[in-house]
Amino acid sequence: MSRTVILLLDSFGIGYAHDAAAYGDKGADTLGHISEWLAKNPRSEGGEVRPLQLPHLAERGLEAAAVLSRGEKLAAPLGAAHTIGAYTYAQEVSKGKDTLSGHWEISGVPVTFDWGYFPNVPHCFPQELVAALIEKGKLPGVLGECHASGTEIIKELGEEHIRSGKPIIYTSADSVLQIAAHEEAFGLERLYELCKIAYELVRPYNIARIIARPFVGTCAADFTRTTNRHDYAVPAPEATLLDKMVAAGGSVYAVGKIADIFAHRGITKHYAAGGLDKLVEATKQAVSEAPDNTIVFTNFVDFDSSYGHRRDIQGYGEALEYFDSRLPEITALLKPEDLLLLTADHGNDPSWTGTDHTREKIPVLFSGAGVECKELPPLATFADIGATIAKFMGIEKTFTGEPVKL
């Protein structure tokens, strides 16, 4: 029996979506702008200009999908012609441009309702919410209470947090409340418990996620967020592709933050990992261990968290090249009857204004399992991806979406 391996490059958009103007993102283009920047700028002081090179992704149709999505060529060829599998792009119909919406829609459950958001003003959280968090968490108070970059607010308030014992709470343009605390001074388990309290408290506000953001270090100069991040997400309102896979007697092996994104529902086995290198290794382990009739699903979060949000164009490009260089290690573990999908969940153009996600189309690159080498029609919803996988795996159709012929 067959397996499906989904490798999701978090935030890897390939051109602004048809409705991007409504989100302030018309013109955003994660891949296009990275390619353009690297084609013009030296990677280090006095170094040579070296265009973006992604030969293994390109041979699976990435460059062709980008041209289809953008309507024009990239600034420089990615290094290989399309020779393997079927390619296209997909548009999102969910409201918002956040992680949960993108993943849920891929799995056949678009977000048709409005998430709750906190306004971009000082003291952005309702004071009754903050007061309840302080009381139930037995806290001396909180710091932050604003929209912020996670790395910057830790530098700004981390030392005061250690001195006072007050955790740092902040948000972004996403439907999220994040809590940062020092792993040793505050305690990792205490941070997790506080996030569980916050998860219950934000229910009336329709917030999608609480995120624990632990960090270590002795001062602002060396504070570093750790890989012990944990997301507390609301469950999808309908059965997802993952739920249907498990209900049909199959398995879902989740790597990285996939289990958190789906509220640990429809998950058979979870491989905790953080950092591109460790996520590649965990994916290889999952594929090696996965029996027939299994979906292996990895989220490569670093593209989003380490480079997109930090507006690090060069870092994003070099991370893509690193992933591309290691992709053959994963594909070498696939069986002839396995299906491979390379995709994303939204954009996060590192050249864009602000530090938030960008509303973009995503690449859809299918290969393996006898997939023809061809261009697929553009997908009107991410849900068509889940429907295609459901049909391939021989399980019940997803809540919405139509399968494409591979």
Side-chain angles (χ1 to χ4, degrees), residues 377-398:
L379 307 185
T381 167
F382 293 2
D384 292 345
I385 298 171
T388 302
I389 294 171
K391 182 178 180 180
F392 174 78
M393 298 301 294
I395 61 175
E396 183 184 0
K397 188 180 183 298
T398 52

Side-chain angles (χ1 to χ4, degrees), residues 306-375:
S306 298
Y307 307 108
H309 284 303
R310 299 185 191 184
R311 296 303 186 245
D312 182 353
I313 304 174
Q314 179 175 319
Y316 201 133
E318 292 179 347
L320 286 169
E321 291 178 330
Y322 175 79
F323 173 83
D324 187 84
S325 73
R326 301 209 55 191
L327 181 57
E329 298 175 34
I330 299 173
T331 58
L333 300 172
L334 301 179
K335 302 174 184 178
E337 62 272 21
D338 290 343
L339 180 67
L340 174 67
L341 167 66
L342 289 146
T343 192
D345 55 343
H346 50 71
N348 199 345
D349 185 343
S351 74
W352 207 240
T353 56
T355 60
D356 297 317
H357 297 155
T358 44
R359 182 78 165 185
E360 294 186 52
K361 292 168 277 189
I362 61 170
V364 180
L365 314 178
F366 282 110
S367 57
V371 176
E372 294 180 23
C373 182
K374 64 181 180 180
E375 177 184 310

Side-chain angles (χ1 to χ4, degrees), residues 10-285:
D10 198 311
S11 84
F12 189 41
I14 57 170
Y16 67 90
H18 68 287
D19 58 357
Y23 296 83
D25 293 330
K26 187 173 183 179
D29 184 356
T30 299
L31 173 59
H33 287 151
I34 292 171
S35 173
E36 182 180 354
W37 192 92
L38 289 176
K40 295 178 179 178
N41 295 279
R43 301 203 186 191
S44 60
E45 183 109 18
E48 294 183 2
V49 173
R50 193 156 42 88
L52 182 67
Q53 292 291 285
L54 305 173
H56 300 110
L57 287 166
E59 71 177 353
R60 283 171 170 74
L62 175 61
E63 186 170 343
V67 171
L68 185 65
S69 170
R70 303 168 70 248
E72 60 181 350
K73 293 182 179 180
L74 295 169
L78 296 179
H82 168 235
T83 58
I84 301 173
Y87 68 87
T88 188
Y89 67 84
Q91 303 245 35
E92 188 171 11
V93 299
S94 293
K95 296 185 177 182
K97 50 183 178 178
D98 57 277
T99 297
L100 249 62
S101 297
H103 282 74
W104 286 6
E105 187 170 332
I106 286 170
S107 70
V109 185
V111 174
T112 58
F113 55 86
D114 290 316
W115 291 113
Y117 300 93
F118 297 112
N120 191 1
V121 297
H123 300 286
C124 63
F125 302 113
Q127 287 309 294
E128 62 270 18
L129 170 62
V130 175
L133 184 64
I134 291 171
E135 178 187 359
K136 292 180 181 296
K138 297 180 172 56
L139 303 172
V142 296
L143 303 172
E145 299 184 65
C146 60
H147 280 236
S149 157
T151 51
E152 292 304 313
I153 201 167
I154 288 169
K155 286 180 184 178
E156 178 186 349
L157 299 176
E159 293 179 6
E160 184 179 352
H161 155 68
I162 292 173
R163 287 194 301 269
S164 67
K166 299 176 181 179
I168 304 165
I169 64 173
Y170 63 102
T171 188
S172 68
D174 287 347
S175 179
V176 64
L177 188 156
Q178 304 190 65
I179 306 180
H182 196 278
E183 282 197 4
E184 297 160 1
F186 190 84
L188 185 59
E189 292 305 319
R190 187 184 177 199
L191 172 59
Y192 290 161
E193 288 303 316
L194 185 60
C195 286
K196 291 176 184 176
I197 292 171
Y199 178 86
E200 296 300 327
L201 291 175
V202 300
R203 282 181 182 270
Y205 304 96
N206 201 28
I207 301 300
R209 284 184 296 165
I210 303 295
I211 304 179
R213 291 290 196 177
F215 65 97
V216 294
T218 58
C219 64
D222 66 3
F223 286 146
T224 305
R225 295 198 298 194
T226 75
T227 58
N228 290 320
R229 162 185 171 159
H230 189 66
D231 293 33
Y232 299 83
V234 299
E238 303 286 346
T240 68
L241 171 70
L242 281 58
D243 295 318
K244 292 178 182 294
M245 188 74 237
V246 172
S251 301
V252 174
Y253 284 14
V255 183
K257 70 175 189 176
I258 290 296
D260 283 354
I261 290 169
F262 288 94
H264 291 258
R265 199 182 75 189
I267 306 295
T268 309
K269 188 172 183 178
H270 170 49
Y271 295 77
L276 274 177
D277 56 341
K278 291 183 174 62
L279 283 165
V280 169
E281 290 300 325
T283 301
K284 290 165 58 180
Q285 182 183 353

